[in-house]
Amino acid sequence: MTIKLPERFDFSYHKDFYNHTADILAKSSLKEVQMDFSQVEYLDSSALGMLVMLQKKCAEVNKRVVVINVSGVAAEILQIANMDKLVDIR
């Protein structure tokens, strides 16, 4: 299952993020949750917090978080935050 993130992945997206991820976590057959960063040009610390929360919830139900199509500033921020230690970045 893939969640396509908006251009601005920040606190203003948290309600949609939680709704999308709750639906995905309820599907027991899925093994991974893909976060599509192809449109993301901006992310802040709340976006990193949302990814950490998602990773923890996924780990509880034997799923993993995979970040795909990340580039530019978003990729740099994920690298600086050492997110590759928590999620699979492809």
Side-chain angles (χ1 to χ4, degrees):
M1 178 64 77
T2 303
I3 297 174
K4 193 161 190 96
L5 297 170
E7 187 177 316
R8 289 186 60 88
F9 182 26
D10 58 15
F11 186 74
S12 67
Y13 186 68
H14 82 280
K15 284 186 182 182
D16 289 333
F17 183 84
Y18 289 118
N19 290 336
H20 290 311
T21 56
D23 290 343
I24 290 171
L25 290 172
K27 296 179 181 181
S28 61
S29 62
L30 297 173
K31 294 291 181 193
E32 68 179 33
V33 178
Q34 292 186 343
M35 307 302 293
D36 185 350
F37 270 71
S38 60
Q39 295 181 1
V40 176
E41 293 183 11
Y42 173 83
L43 68 152
D44 65 5
S45 60
S46 63
L48 296 175
M50 286 184 261
L51 285 174
V52 170
M53 178 277 313
L54 178 61
Q55 187 280 328
K56 288 180 181 181
K57 287 187 176 187
C58 282
E60 291 173 1
V61 292
N62 268 347
K63 297 180 191 318
R64 63 186 184 148
V65 178
V66 178
V67 172
I68 60 171
N69 302 321
V70 64
S71 62
V73 173
E76 289 177 29
I77 292 170
L78 293 178
Q79 182 181 12
I80 290 168
N82 289 317
M83 291 302 290
D84 59 327
K85 294 185 180 357
L86 291 177
V87 300
D88 185 9
I89 299 176
R90 297 181 186 159

